[in-house]
Amino acid sequence: MKFVQLRVVGACMALCLLHHPVMAQDSGYEIGLGKSVNDWLTLGGYFSTEYEKSSAVQQLQLDDVAVMAYGEFSNRFSYLLELESVNAYVADLERDTRSSNFPPTIERLYFDYKGSDHLSVRAGKQITPVGYWNQQPINVLRETSSNPRFSKEMVPKFLTGIDVHGFAPLGEDLTYHVYLQNSRDMDESNINIKPESHYGFALAKQYGNGWRIGGSAGRFKEAIGSASGTRTATRYWQLNSRFDNQHYSLIAEGIVNTESAVGAGRARSKAVYVQGEYRYRPRHSLISRLEYFHDTGVAVPERIGILGYSFRPVFPVSLKLEYQWHQESSNNRFVSSFSVLF
Amino acid sequence: MRIVLLLLSIALVSVAEAAEYAVVVARNSPIEALDSERLRDIFLRRRSFEGGIPLVPINLLGEEAVRTQFESLVLQMDRGQINQYWVTSHFQGIKPPATQASLQSIKTFIERVDGAIGYLPISMVDDGLKVLHEF
Amino acid sequence: MSFKAKTILLLILLSLVPYVVTMAFLGNAYRNDVENRLMEDMGHQLGITIDRLDQSLQALQNDIEFIASLDIMNDVLTGDLDRRIVNLLLLKKDDLALDGDFDVVDGSGLVVASTALDSIGSPFNGESFMQVPLFSTFNNDNIGALRVRYEMSNLTRYFANDGNFRYALLVSGERYPAQMQIADTLSVSGVIGLRPEIGIIFEQNRDFAFAVLDSFTRSFLIALAIGTLIISAIAFLAASYILRPILLLSSTARSIYKTHDYSQRVRVDRSDEIGNLASAFNAMIQGMQDLIARLKEEGENRLKLAQEKNRAETLQTLSNKLSKYLSPQIYESIFSGEKDVKLGSSRKKLTIFFSDIVNFTGTTDQMESEDLTALLNQYLREMTDIALRYGATVDKYIGDAIMIFFGDPHSRGVEEDALMCVEMSLSMQRRVRELQREWRAAGYTKPFVIRVGIHTGYCTVGNFGTESRMDYTIVGSAVNLASRIENTAEPGTVYISEDTYLLVREKFASLPVNKVTPKGISQPVQLYKVLMEEAAEGVQTLSQDGFQLQYQPELLTAESREQLRLVLEKITRESSP
């Protein structure tokens, strides 16, 4: 089984290091920065494997395999394409089943136009520019293997539309995003919410190198069920803050979500998490996260505590262990992962 | 906050006694001066324009003193942080600035390429260049 | 010209003509065809070479375009101070095994980087084989060009030239490699698709091209000369072989004609047509020889025959006379050799016939001897004729009685024999009645009446007696019974035994009459009277135990009816108790 994974990983690496006789001797490759062929083509990708163990679940999976290509056509135009196979290989050790899913989906495909530092436009399928967690959605860039509930079901992770962004003229280090989607997603295979429309804005302020705050608000509509035609409209308000220095980082994000369906009442849900990381030695760190999630439709709010350890021999290679304590103790679990960005 | 940073930089400068390095552009550039926060944004490729001109930041290849000084004093990041930043940017589709292998070629590059901006020892600055920032 | 000479000449001609025709074809038409094919092959080969060159040039073009797109080309802007471009170009040159040079030229035409290190810094002063413009990735300005300096002659390394095959490039009237053109060559030409100004010539030495064909032709001529000699020899031998038997035939024929010795033969051991002719000739001579022998023999036979003829005639007369004393069947049987005349017998089922003249002794006493002889002889002759007509075997005449049997030596089957016998008997009775009328008319007042008895049974038949005197006859109780039946029969009737009756009752109407008990037979034998056909017509028969009534209604008169009534009354009265 491990060999299968290794082979898959090897294949992905090989795919990325496309072999051209002339290209092969180009200046050095550095892991995590992609392979830059020339200005208009840089290749890269990532993968992650995860092992999860709880009283009900024990599984090993190659949960992401992705390749990326991006580049600049000029100093104003650029593009990015990312193809990903989600749950490429899943071995359920509890039920002793195996499954694989290699056909890749379009994770991102967009074009950027840089008018100025104050006004840039990104069009296509992109990551919704909300919060911090959402914008670093891949395992290797995260501090923990798991994602907080905050990131999973409150806001559509992806946007197929237009995002106008830049530095706000109002003040130094204040950036803004105004985004709009008015269609279905480009590839609905692996997205958390499938909105028919979505719009909103986000603001972020950076104080020096260490501290950032931000927030966003928006509204999206989604169809519940394919045939009924029932739609719900959801509004959200979100705040986030982050502090970094050489040894510590602290992230806090919270969101309130109000969902209203035609002819039905309103449902409100709240999600908050606070996460701290302590890099006690150059490549090692300890992580702790507290999560709170409450859906008014469900009487009991959910609280989750996480303690984790992360080892990065180099930054784009990450080995992580964590233990989660859930309110319902049968949900407690151990999660570990190995992930690489190349 | 800015006061804190200012104090910090003053402290660092005082340790070095006098500024040895300078951020420079071509003599004919319309840019006159840039503070370190703006330089950081430019060299981290958060900003690409200054006064409507597309900027071409240029890094020195390797770990020459001028570069490490630039990173710690202007970018205020160590190599690990910088590396982490560019790895994260790689996922966002952003590449680090172009490089030149020698100080001399940086100098030539800046002189010849419109919008080029780089850092050199002050001793190398001559009539063809304009100093925007010293560190 | 003799036949032999003609044959030899013909054989030689037949063998040589295909040679000569083939030679003519090889010498002219085939040579042109070979040339066309050679040209076609060369065109094909040239095509392959051009394709290879095209591909190589295309690959080179792709490679330099790729190199030109690399970020490092931006170093043109710094004049490649760090020699990063130079290093890259050197690597690529090595990598591509380029036997030319890369040059990067800046906007002012100065060589900024080059794999020919000497030329760096000086103005570009070569001829570029290929070139790709360079653009700054920072502002998309054209900042120079990547050029390839390439000696046209380098392309010739793709050519595998030798003394006989030669490729050459033709660029603006100049030839690479610049060898003198050979005077007599086959040559094809084409251009490189990617660089139409570069032509390629492919030449082949004509002598070399046709060397194989020429040497083949030479060998063929030698073979022809040797072949002619061999063929002539073979033709001579073959003609001799074929003609020898014919000559032999003619000489033998001549010899026979001269010597009249028909025993001479031609000896030819062959199975072909000539062999057949010789055999036929021999057979003909044989036939003639046989014919002559037979003619001789026949002459002798004729003579012998004439002598024998007299004796045969005497024998014939004798035999004819003898036949009168023998049954013709027996006579024929003996003379045809069907049965050997020797003692012997066999047992057969026969139908035996006896007849005699009723009251012959009484009648004959009143007649003159001569009349009697004439009458008797006529009677016997007539009866014998009838008997012979029916195929009977007339056994013997015993005074006025006749003994006849059916079933030997020729039998038609027991039943048919019996039928024939009864039929014959009735014929005899009818003939006798006719004779009675004749005789009455002739004045014999007491004509004959005959009676007949017939029986069918097993008899022993054969030659009985001694070697010196034999008699062919039948013996047995059946013969005795037949004689006895004859004695019992009414005059003018035919009596048959029950055995015969059972065989003929289908055909002949018969009435049961009395029974007889012959000597030596314990059981009495039922006898039947055969009704004459003419009498049987219209005869009504009524038969019960104890009586049998026969009458003919149309012939009954009133008187006879009265008589019948009285008889019947009397009989019925007597019978009632």
Side-chain angles (χ1 to χ4, degrees):
Chain A
M1 193 172 54
K2 286 219 168 106
F3 288 117
V4 173
Q5 284 178 329
L6 283 175
R7 250 183 281 155
V8 169
V9 170
C12 294
M13 300 279 265
L15 197 79
C16 292
L17 303 176
L18 280 172
H19 202 80
H20 187 284
V22 174
M23 214 155 88
Q25 290 152 349
D26 232 359
S27 53
Y29 165 78
E30 203 174 329
I31 191 164
L33 295 179
K35 172 71 189 171
S36 182
V37 178
N38 53 33
D39 231 39
W40 45 266
L41 181 64
T42 298
L43 294 168
Y46 58 87
F47 71 87
S48 65
T49 59
E50 191 179 290
Y51 172 76
E52 187 177 343
K53 171 87 175 92
S54 72
S55 57
V57 178
Q58 185 185 5
Q59 68 177 24
L60 187 63
Q61 60 177 336
L62 177 62
D63 59 347
D64 284 323
V65 178
V67 291
M68 296 161 53
Y70 60 87
E72 289 176 2
F73 300 120
S74 75
N75 48 26
R76 290 186 191 273
F77 284 103
S78 60
Y79 75 96
L80 183 144
L81 168 66
E82 179 188 351
L83 299 173
E84 182 179 9
S85 292
V86 175
N87 295 334
Y89 181 83
V90 179
D92 190 326
L93 305 176
E94 194 71 25
R95 293 182 191 80
D96 200 26
T97 58
R98 311 279 183 269
S99 65
S100 55
N101 171 41
F102 268 107
T105 56
I106 298 173
E107 191 84 343
R108 289 183 287 171
L109 173 59
Y110 60 73
F111 296 88
D112 276 336
Y113 173 72
K114 220 180 275 179
S116 72
D117 290 336
H118 304 292
L119 186 71
S120 294
V121 180
R122 175 170 292 182
K125 182 170 178 177
Q126 54 196 287
I127 292 168
T128 311
V130 167
Y132 300 132
W133 199 282
N134 196 49
Q135 297 198 63
Q136 293 186 1
I138 62 171
N139 186 312
V140 65
L141 297 179
R142 299 194 297 258
E143 290 80 8
T144 59
S145 304
S146 63
N147 288 303
R149 288 200 67 164
F150 163 87
S151 72
K152 289 185 205 168
E153 50 214 275
M154 308 302 277
V155 176
K157 283 183 185 175
F158 293 98
L159 179 83
T160 297
I162 289 172
D163 170 33
V164 179
H165 59 98
F167 284 91
L170 300 168
E172 284 289 291
D173 290 337
L174 178 66
T175 54
Y176 74 93
H177 287 270
V178 177
Y179 47 91
L180 174 67
Q181 168 173 357
N182 197 24
S183 67
R184 310 283 301 214
D185 194 277
M186 191 182 286
D187 188 341
E188 294 190 336
S189 310
N190 287 307
I191 58 178
N192 63 335
I193 293 167
K194 297 168 183 170
E196 292 181 326
S197 68
H198 183 190
Y199 57 84
F201 71 95
L203 288 170
K205 172 80 177 165
Q206 172 132 8
Y207 296 98
N209 254 359
W211 188 32
R212 284 178 273 166
I213 59 167
S216 58
R219 186 169 186 269
F220 61 89
K221 280 186 189 169
E222 60 181 320
I224 311 276
S226 56
S228 67
T230 310
R231 281 173 176 75
T232 63
T234 306
R235 293 169 201 279
Y236 58 87
W237 294 268
Q238 186 266 349
L239 284 171
N240 48 279
S241 175
R242 178 172 185 135
F243 173 79
D244 285 282
N245 74 8
Q246 273 183 310
H247 292 292
Y248 298 97
S249 75
L250 190 66
I251 311 174
E253 292 191 82
I255 189 165
V256 176
N257 212 335
T258 309
E259 180 179 330
S260 52
V262 179
R266 290 180 166 211
R268 175 170 290 205
S269 37
K270 288 174 265 186
V272 178
Y273 78 92
V274 178
Q275 177 181 282
E277 181 187 10
Y278 171 48
R279 288 184 280 273
Y280 64 96
R281 280 170 62 189
R283 288 184 280 274
H284 305 266
S285 56
L286 293 172
I287 301 101
S288 172
R289 185 167 77 226
L290 294 173
E291 290 180 41
Y292 173 84
F293 179 81
H294 189 202
D295 184 339
T296 51
V298 181
V300 189
E302 194 179 339
R303 294 182 180 82
I304 305 170
I306 291 173
L307 200 58
Y309 161 76
S310 160
F311 171 63
R312 291 176 187 271
V314 289
F315 185 76
V317 176
S318 168
L319 176 69
K320 297 192 269 280
L321 312 172
E322 72 178 69
Y323 194 80
Q324 302 179 358
W325 284 270
H326 288 252
Q327 200 139 356
E328 184 67 52
S329 62
S330 64
N331 284 336
N332 292 357
R333 67 192 61 200
F334 169 78
V335 184
S336 70
S337 67
F338 174 71
S339 51
V340 175
L341 178 70
F342 50 85
Chain B
M1 190 69 200
R2 197 172 287 180
I3 295 164
V4 174
L5 286 171
L6 197 62
L7 286 172
L8 192 68
S9 58
I10 288 168
L12 286 166
V13 166
S14 63
V15 168
E17 286 187 357
E20 279 183 72
Y21 308 108
V23 176
V24 294
V25 291
R27 166 67 63 194
N28 58 4
S29 170
I31 306 165
E32 294 302 330
L34 290 171
D35 63 16
S36 61
E37 282 174 22
R38 185 55 64 94
L39 285 171
R40 184 193 64 209
D41 283 349
I42 288 167
F43 276 85
L44 294 180
R45 302 197 76 171
R46 286 180 190 151
R47 289 176 187 266
S48 306
F49 300 93
E50 192 62 46
I53 300 165
L55 293 173
V56 183
I58 187 86
N59 266 334
L60 179 66
L61 204 61
E63 300 197 32
E64 298 283 328
V66 62
R67 183 168 179 180
T68 50
Q69 284 293 300
F70 178 75
E71 284 169 355
S72 66
L73 297 178
V74 180
L75 304 184
Q76 297 178 6
M77 293 163 93
D78 62 22
R79 263 293 156 105
Q81 284 171 306
I82 287 172
N83 189 40
Q84 181 175 342
Y85 178 83
W86 288 119
V87 168
T88 309
S89 297
H90 167 54
F91 178 72
Q92 312 282 1
I94 297 167
K95 271 199 329 185
T99 58
Q100 282 296 335
S102 68
L103 291 168
Q104 187 56 48
S105 54
I106 285 184
K107 182 167 179 283
T108 315
F109 187 87
I110 292 166
E111 283 168 353
R112 293 191 186 171
V113 177
D114 289 342
I117 178 167
Y119 42 83
L120 290 169
I122 289 177
S123 57
M124 285 182 73
V125 176
D126 60 18
D127 286 350
L129 300 173
K130 186 198 287 183
V131 174
L132 300 183
H133 185 88
E134 291 184 11
F135 58 96
Chain C
M1 205 180 207
S2 74
F3 182 54
K4 186 170 176 176
K6 280 179 195 164
T7 309
I8 290 170
L9 199 65
L10 183 69
L11 284 172
I12 291 171
L13 277 177
L14 280 177
S15 316
L16 285 180
V17 164
Y19 269 91
V20 174
V21 169
T22 313
M23 273 309 298
F25 178 72
L26 274 179
N28 297 299
Y30 190 63
R31 202 175 178 87
N32 290 338
D33 189 38
V34 166
E35 180 165 336
N36 288 342
R37 231 172 279 177
L38 279 169
M39 296 288 274
E40 216 171 276
D41 280 354
M42 287 171 68
H44 185 65
Q45 242 175 20
L46 179 71
I48 291 169
T49 305
I50 287 177
D51 281 352
R52 217 170 65 216
L53 272 173
D54 248 347
Q55 280 165 17
S56 306
L57 291 179
Q58 187 63 58
L60 184 62
Q61 177 87 31
N62 292 347
D63 284 334
I64 68 167
E65 273 170 16
F66 178 76
I67 294 166
S69 81
L70 295 176
D71 288 349
I72 222 150
M73 288 298 159
N74 285 319
D75 282 9
V76 173
L77 294 167
T78 68
D80 194 32
L81 282 172
D82 303 325
R83 298 238 157 164
R84 289 200 295 189
I85 299 179
V86 172
N87 291 334
L88 176 71
L89 293 181
L90 286 170
L91 271 176
K92 299 304 178 203
K93 178 178 170 175
D94 207 34
D95 193 35
L96 299 173
L98 180 77
D99 40 14
D101 281 303
F102 287 120
D103 296 297
V104 171
V105 180
D106 71 6
S108 62
L110 211 63
V111 176
V112 173
S114 173
T115 49
L117 299 173
D118 296 345
S119 61
I120 296 173
S122 52
F124 184 79
N125 67 345
E127 204 175 308
S128 67
F129 183 68
M130 272 182 198
Q131 85 171 44
V132 181
L134 297 173
F135 293 95
S136 155
T137 56
F138 308 112
N139 49 22
N140 290 340
D141 285 346
N142 185 340
I143 53 173
L146 172 62
R147 294 180 173 175
V148 178
R149 262 187 294 144
Y150 194 77
E151 282 303 318
M152 205 59 80
S153 55
N154 286 342
L155 280 177
T156 58
R157 77 185 154 107
Y158 290 97
F159 302 152
N161 286 351
D162 62 25
N164 297 304
F165 290 98
R166 193 156 38 188
Y167 285 97
L169 288 174
L170 202 62
V171 189
S172 52
E174 239 180 298
R175 236 178 109 95
Y176 303 93
Q179 281 147 323
M180 288 299 291
Q181 209 162 330
I182 312 165
D184 193 15
T185 57
L186 295 173
S187 93
V188 288
S189 62
V191 295
I192 299 175
L194 204 64
R195 306 292 292 260
E197 74 275 14
I198 304 175
I200 295 186
I201 300 171
F202 181 38
E203 295 169 331
Q204 186 180 177
N205 190 329
R206 188 180 284 270
D207 290 343
F208 176 77
F210 287 104
V212 174
L213 187 61
D214 288 342
S215 91
F216 180 66
T217 309
R218 233 180 347 266
S219 309
F220 201 89
L221 280 170
I222 293 166
L224 179 65
I226 294 169
T228 307
L229 284 173
I230 293 170
I231 286 163
S232 303
I234 290 171
F236 180 79
L237 292 173
S240 306
Y241 173 72
I242 293 164
L243 294 176
R244 196 192 308 125
I246 294 175
L247 297 174
L248 199 60
L249 275 173
S250 79
S251 71
T252 308
R254 211 175 298 126
S255 162
I256 290 169
Y257 165 71
K258 276 182 183 160
T259 61
H260 295 293
D261 176 7
Y262 287 91
S263 67
Q264 292 184 62
R265 296 287 181 272
V266 184
R267 281 187 57 198
V268 177
D269 298 329
R270 275 158 65 165
S271 57
D272 56 8
E273 286 79 356
I274 303 273
N276 289 343
L277 176 63
S279 314
F281 179 81
N282 285 344
M284 188 182 79
I285 301 299
Q286 179 73 52
M288 284 167 75
Q289 196 180 4
D290 289 354
L291 200 61
I292 289 160
R294 208 178 302 149
L295 279 172
K296 207 186 264 176
E297 202 179 325
E298 210 139 287
E300 285 164 5
N301 283 350
R302 283 265 168 81
L303 201 62
K304 239 182 251 176
L305 239 109
Q307 289 167 349
E308 277 177 11
K309 201 180 174 188
N310 291 330
R311 228 179 107 200
E313 270 169 4
T314 319
L315 275 172
Q316 188 66 41
T317 319
L318 192 66
S319 146
N320 284 353
K321 278 181 187 162
L322 202 59
S323 74
K324 287 184 183 154
Y325 297 91
L326 286 172
S327 156
Q329 280 89 346
I330 303 297
Y331 168 82
E332 261 171 41
S333 188
I334 290 165
F335 280 88
S336 68
E338 267 180 40
K339 265 198 175 79
D340 279 342
V341 186
K342 59 180 164 184
L343 289 171
S345 65
S346 63
R347 208 165 155 74
K348 279 187 177 172
K349 195 166 190 179
L350 307 175
T351 299
I352 308 123
F353 167 102
F354 275 92
S355 74
D356 74 344
I357 298 167
V358 184
N359 241 339
F360 181 69
T361 324
T363 310
T364 50
D365 284 353
Q366 301 167 4
M367 288 179 81
E368 289 301 320
S369 169
E370 278 153 11
D371 287 348
L372 182 65
T373 306
L375 222 63
L376 191 58
N377 280 349
Q378 190 192 2
Y379 162 71
L380 288 175
R381 190 173 60 245
E382 295 267 358
M383 291 307 111
T384 303
D385 285 349
I386 291 169
L388 294 179
R389 215 161 50 232
Y390 282 90
T393 302
V394 181
D395 187 304
K396 57 182 68 108
Y397 308 109
I398 313 155
D400 61 321
I402 306 171
M403 181 183 165
I404 291 171
F405 58 87
F406 283 80
D408 193 84
H410 303 293
S411 172
R412 297 172 211 168
V414 174
E415 190 179 333
E416 192 66 20
D417 288 344
L419 285 169
M420 280 296 159
C421 186
V422 174
E423 184 92 43
M424 181 196 71
S425 309
L426 295 175
S427 278
M428 285 176 170
Q429 284 293 10
R430 277 194 296 273
R431 183 62 191 148
V432 167
R433 277 176 210 163
E434 283 167 16
L435 288 172
Q436 283 170 353
R437 280 195 291 277
E438 285 174 27
W439 289 329
R440 253 193 219 103
Y444 301 107
T445 49
K446 290 219 171 173
F448 301 151
V449 177
I450 64 162
R451 56 186 174 194
V452 174
I454 301 172
H455 173 60
T456 305
Y458 280 98
C459 305
T460 304
V461 55
N463 291 313
F464 298 96
T466 65
E467 286 289 342
S468 56
R469 174 155 171 73
M470 288 187 289
D471 191 11
Y472 179 81
T473 187
I474 53 173
V475 292
S477 62
V479 181
N480 299 338
L481 180 56
S483 170
R484 177 113 172 79
I485 292 168
E486 187 258 329
N487 283 332
T488 318
E490 293 169 55
T493 63
V494 177
Y495 272 34
I496 58 177
S497 71
E498 185 152 36
D499 290 329
T500 308
Y501 168 76
L502 292 172
L503 293 170
V504 303
R505 62 183 172 180
E506 303 280 310
K507 291 276 173 70
F508 300 98
S510 310
L511 290 175
V513 286
N514 52 331
K515 296 183 179 176
V516 292
T517 307
K519 264 182 230 161
I521 295 170
S522 53
Q523 292 286 323
V525 176
Q526 175 69 52
L527 302 183
Y528 295 82
K529 181 168 87 178
V530 180
L531 294 173
M532 309 285 280
E533 293 102 278
E534 52 268 40
E537 271 175 38
V539 174
Q540 302 287 313
T541 306
L542 196 59
S543 167
Q544 288 275 320
D545 282 350
F547 83 93
Q548 185 168 29
L549 177 63
Q550 259 191 344
Y551 63 98
Q552 212 161 345
E554 61 268 34
L555 298 180
L556 283 177
T557 59
E559 196 183 344
S560 58
R561 280 176 204 272
E562 184 55 28
Q563 187 70 33
L564 185 60
R565 189 182 64 85
L566 287 174
V567 170
L568 288 173
E569 251 176 19
K570 187 184 171 208
I571 295 168
T572 46
R573 211 170 28 248
E574 279 174 0
S575 328
S576 57

